[in-house]
Amino acid sequence: MSSFVERPALIIGIALSTLCLLLGNALLSDRASWTPPTLKQFLRRNAGASTSLEEEEEGRPRGVIPSRASRKPRKKKGTVCCFKNSTNVNAADYIMTKSKMQALATNNYIMVTFANYNFLDFAENWVSHIQGLGITAYVVMAMDDAILKALVPQGINAFTTGTHLNKGNVGWFTPGFHELQVGKTDLLMELSKLGLDIILSDVDTVWLRNPIDYCERYRRADILAGANQLWNSTNDGGLEDWTRSGSTMLNIGILLLRGRKIVAEFLKEYHQRVVKNESSWDQQVFNDLLNNGLDDSKKDPDRLVAAYNGQLQLGVFPIALFTSGHPFFIQRLHERLGLQPYVAHAIYTLGKFAKRHRLRNRLLWHDKPSYFNPSNGFVSFDFDMPEEMLRNAKPVDDRIDISLLAGHFDLVHHQLLQLRNAFAIAQTLNRTLIIPQTWCGVDQSWGLPHSGCWPGTQFELPFPCPLDHLLLLDPIVGGFDEAGVLDEAEFGPPVDIREASFLYNPRLPAAVNASRLLVEVSDSGCDGVTTLGPTMRPHLDDQQVKALFTNATTYKIIHFSSMLGAFGNFSDAADSGKFERRMKRSTGFFCCTEVDGVTGKVNYDAWFDRMPHLDKSGRVWNATWKPMLIPN
């Protein structure tokens, strides 16, 4: 079989494509951030229609502050001298003191996060955005010595908490989880003794605006907290209305804690309660304690309520401005309201790999230059997405009925079929896979049956859903799942991936973006040439694909116009089995629906089109795939 070689038509095609890419990048470089297209935009692009700049603007976050993730962390004048770029870090020299914290503060405010070594890159990303906003009043509280020794040499403000936690991952409700909660609540208690106004946020937050001016609007508030609710009770930029929000679960991942005596007393009791109950969840304890004797009967001009037996004034940050994972990534609430969010918090997201991928997809992650130019290059592709399939993907009515989800499963499996081929080709060519925007007909929930959207949420179906709605990123990116590590001897080699916005990231070198080989799958065979580039016969095996692209190593990106029929199988049955096992473990699920009063999830099946086959649950399929409920 001959390999791809350069021809005049191919050169012309690549030259035109390069020009379009460079022009596109010039337009995108001035954009605030990348955002998935609306259904209207996607259908127009899919049909090959031109898209006006005004229509492109419809897909942008309204007034979102430009992402600072592309900038290197920088130190500003006024940074405290006690943080030196030292490579010899002794934790005893980085103990938090009142004088050091007060020296860091600006107008009595200081922004704080905490992390162990397992979340080092999240801490670096948090700091990158904080510094990009020109904020010097910040500190990372190191939960183990390993992360302290990694942060200090970078000139990042960091103190040790003295907790010396395990530097690995801490599972929910494990002994390490309780130790983490005790350490965190002890830290809050110590912070409350400093007399400073603490803006505390989890390390999986990204700050897009300086929040100090907003907090200054509510000087009467003793505590302002984020909320887990998925819908807004106000749209004027002010605090949420407690009386209209229902039973609000406050989220302790975003907090303003005033340096006041009553706040210190509250945090002391909070810590004591967490210490006493090893099975407690610190967020629930926080909520229960504030709700004791809560009085929301009086109308307050700032929408504050009297909490903690009426002893302190409590407010709830507006979810469109201090936004969590679902309102930000799924509903894009701030865009609909035309608001500029202060912070995005990647909750309602399964696992740190999914959190990182979502943030990257919105250009809210600071990656090293090597991320954008790996030596092995990339494989990219366009999804085949029929308009009729997209329009039929949403449920026909609001009933919770598994039979109404057929269109959604058809859409997901159509994408999984293409993803299966894309992963196989990327593995065969040892290239990193760029995965385009995925789409879903219904939303994903955490254990609650629903008819398409979480109750109370509002957004258009079908919608551009995160990749983690289709695939489990822990086994793909991390190489493990709940059953353990995916050994290459059993599961084959992993495939590195990139997010849908990758080719639109201004940090991607123009030379990389322009170095493309454009490929079309066609029955005309590998020797055919179109104005877009070469063609390849469908259903080739791995050895044929490898031989075909032998001379394509000079191209940074091999782009397929479609992955339908792009791959047949692996020539070695053992390799085929390994690939199939890895893909099955990486395939996601839909949650949740009901069958005869039983709530459960439905696993997607990346081999739905092949009969017979075993699905990821070990069931044998000899006929057409249909959704099978797995009870929760």
Side-chain angles (χ1 to χ4, degrees):
M1 177 178 292
S2 62
S3 61
F4 286 140
V5 294
E6 293 186 5
R7 301 177 175 91
L10 170 58
I11 296 173
I12 294 172
I14 291 177
L16 290 173
S17 300
T18 300
L19 178 61
C20 293
L21 283 167
L22 293 175
L23 290 173
N25 282 345
L27 289 173
L28 285 162
S29 63
D30 293 329
R31 297 230 171 159
S33 66
W34 185 87
T35 187
T38 63
L39 180 61
K40 173 184 174 183
Q41 291 168 340
F42 183 82
L43 291 176
R44 283 181 60 82
R45 294 172 190 170
N46 215 28
S50 61
T51 306
S52 68
L53 182 60
E54 290 75 16
E55 288 174 321
E56 289 280 357
E57 289 293 314
E58 289 179 13
R60 274 186 53 189
R62 296 294 189 264
V64 173
I65 298 299
S67 169
R68 311 293 177 149
S70 61
R71 299 184 181 181
K72 292 183 178 180
R74 53 180 177 153
K75 291 202 293 183
K76 301 280 288 184
K77 291 182 179 179
T79 299
V80 177
C81 63
C82 59
F83 295 99
K84 301 176 181 179
N85 294 39
S86 174
T87 56
N88 185 19
V89 179
N90 184 350
D93 297 331
Y94 293 89
I95 296 173
M96 180 183 72
T97 66
K98 185 173 184 177
S99 60
K100 290 178 181 178
M101 290 289 280
Q102 288 179 334
L104 277 175
T106 297
N107 298 329
N108 208 54
Y109 283 92
I110 187 166
M111 300 183 70
V112 179
T113 194
F114 57 93
N116 70 347
Y117 189 79
N118 190 48
F119 284 88
L120 171 62
D121 57 342
F122 279 82
E124 292 170 336
N125 192 60
W126 186 89
V127 170
S128 176
H129 286 82
I130 290 284
Q131 292 182 333
L133 294 170
I135 297 172
T136 59
Y138 76 89
V139 67
V140 178
M141 301 303 300
M143 305 295 280
D144 58 49
D145 289 349
I147 190 172
L148 181 72
K149 292 177 180 179
L151 294 175
V152 170
Q154 300 181 55
I156 291 174
N157 303 346
F159 289 123
T160 179
T161 62
T163 51
H164 304 293
L165 289 178
N166 185 311
K167 67 179 184 180
N169 191 38
V170 178
W172 272 60
F173 297 108
T174 62
F177 182 72
H178 184 250
E179 184 183 359
L180 173 64
Q181 293 183 110
V182 170
K184 178 182 175 182
T185 55
D186 180 66
L187 169 63
L188 294 182
M189 186 173 62
E190 293 303 313
L191 289 171
S192 71
K193 299 175 183 178
L194 304 177
L196 298 174
D197 294 333
I198 309 294
I199 300 175
L200 181 78
S201 61
D202 283 350
V203 76
D204 60 347
T205 55
V206 173
W207 287 93
L208 305 172
R209 297 171 67 184
N210 190 328
I212 292 178
D213 287 345
Y214 190 91
C215 293
E216 276 292 286
R217 290 166 53 181
Y218 300 99
R219 290 297 311 170
R220 291 192 303 116
D222 298 304
I223 295 177
L224 295 178
N228 273 4
Q229 68 191 64
L230 302 180
W231 56 91
N232 57 305
S233 60
T234 61
N235 57 14
D236 58 3
L239 300 179
E240 294 291 340
D241 187 339
W242 186 282
T243 61
R244 296 174 56 200
S245 299
S247 55
T248 299
M249 167 65 81
L250 300 177
N251 188 289
I252 59 176
I254 303 175
L255 292 172
L256 166 66
L257 303 169
R258 294 287 184 199
R260 296 171 183 167
K261 181 180 178 181
I262 186 58
V263 176
E265 292 174 359
F266 166 79
L267 292 174
K268 181 179 180 180
E269 184 174 355
Y270 172 43
H271 172 66
Q272 291 171 342
R273 291 195 178 197
V274 170
V275 170
K276 288 179 180 178
N277 187 354
E278 292 189 5
S279 63
S280 64
W281 176 29
D282 56 349
Q283 182 163 284
Q284 188 63 59
V285 175
F286 184 88
N287 277 267
D288 291 344
L289 195 54
L290 282 176
N291 274 293
N292 284 342
L294 185 142
D295 181 9
D296 60 2
S297 61
K298 298 178 182 178
K299 190 174 182 61
D300 186 275
D302 290 330
R303 301 173 186 146
L304 301 176
V305 295
Y308 191 45
N309 292 312
Q311 298 180 78
L312 58 76
Q313 294 294 301
L314 171 68
V316 182
F317 282 122
I319 65 168
L321 292 178
F322 295 77
T323 183
S324 63
H326 198 280
F328 185 81
F329 295 112
I330 307 299
Q331 299 181 61
R332 293 148 71 172
L333 180 61
H334 56 285
E335 298 174 29
R336 297 210 317 267
L337 298 178
L339 298 174
Q340 300 178 356
Y342 284 88
V343 63
H345 189 189
I347 59 172
Y348 291 103
T349 309
L350 288 170
K352 75 171 188 176
F353 295 105
K355 292 174 185 277
R356 188 190 295 115
H357 193 86
R358 288 193 185 191
L359 292 171
R360 277 176 169 152
N361 202 36
R362 297 303 296 267
L363 307 187
L364 296 177
W365 191 265
H366 180 81
D367 278 299
K368 294 178 173 60
S370 58
Y371 181 80
F372 299 95
N373 192 13
S375 59
N376 61 337
F378 303 96
V379 167
S380 64
F381 69 101
D382 295 325
F383 268 127
D384 172 85
M385 205 82 73
E387 180 175 346
E388 183 178 5
M389 180 177 287
L390 265 175
R391 295 194 181 281
N392 292 336
K394 64 180 181 180
V396 295
D397 60 41
D398 294 334
R399 289 176 295 146
I400 299 176
D401 187 334
I402 196 171
S403 67
L404 303 178
L405 303 176
H408 167 71
F409 290 121
D410 287 345
L411 177 63
V412 167
H413 281 158
H414 188 62
Q415 293 169 89
L416 286 177
L417 177 64
Q418 298 169 74
L419 285 166
R420 188 180 77 197
N421 290 340
F423 272 99
I425 288 177
Q427 177 181 312
T428 297
L429 299 179
N430 189 30
R431 284 177 173 253
T432 296
L433 178 62
I434 303 171
I435 301 178
Q437 180 61 54
T438 47
W439 285 76
C440 295
V442 296
D443 194 11
Q444 186 79 281
S445 80
W446 289 40
L448 299 175
H450 59 92
S451 60
C453 298
W454 280 38
T457 61
Q458 296 181 358
F459 57 100
E460 182 183 22
L461 296 177
F463 71 105
C465 57
L467 179 62
D468 57 88
H469 279 205
L470 275 68
L471 298 176
L472 304 178
L473 297 191
D474 281 4
I476 292 176
V477 182
F480 67 90
D481 61 12
E482 68 279 357
V485 175
L486 275 62
D487 186 356
E488 288 192 30
E490 181 181 359
F491 296 95
V495 173
D496 199 9
I497 64 171
R498 294 294 185 267
E499 60 282 359
S501 66
F502 182 77
L503 296 175
Y504 300 90
N505 195 313
R507 295 189 64 207
L508 179 66
V512 173
N513 212 343
S515 177
R516 296 197 184 196
L517 177 65
L518 306 178
V519 182
E520 181 179 355
V521 179
S522 171
D523 289 329
S524 63
C526 67
D527 291 328
V529 176
T530 72
T531 56
L532 290 176
T535 61
M536 62 178 277
R537 290 202 313 270
H539 308 300
L540 301 183
D541 66 30
D542 60 321
Q543 295 305 313
Q544 292 171 316
V545 169
K546 191 177 295 185
L548 191 60
F549 288 95
T550 299
N551 294 336
T553 55
T554 56
Y555 294 97
K556 285 294 184 179
I557 302 171
I558 299 176
H559 182 82
F560 289 76
S561 60
S562 172
M563 278 292 175
L564 289 178
F567 189 80
N569 209 333
F570 289 87
S571 55
D572 187 309
D575 290 339
S576 180
K578 293 175 184 179
F579 178 78
E580 184 172 342
R581 284 191 288 274
R582 182 176 287 274
M583 282 300 299
K584 285 178 180 177
R585 294 280 276 270
S586 304
T587 305
F589 58 88
F590 164 73
C591 185
C592 287
T593 187
E594 282 184 353
V595 175
D596 298 327
V598 177
T599 300
K601 66 179 183 179
V602 177
N603 281 333
Y604 300 132
D605 191 345
W607 268 264
F608 74 99
D609 61 319
R610 293 192 179 178
M611 304 298 167
H613 77 275
L614 286 174
D615 67 13
K616 66 185 298 180
S617 299
R619 289 177 296 202
V620 178
W621 289 89
N622 292 303
T624 304
W625 185 93
K626 63 180 180 179
M628 301 285 286
L629 190 76
I630 301 175
N632 287 344

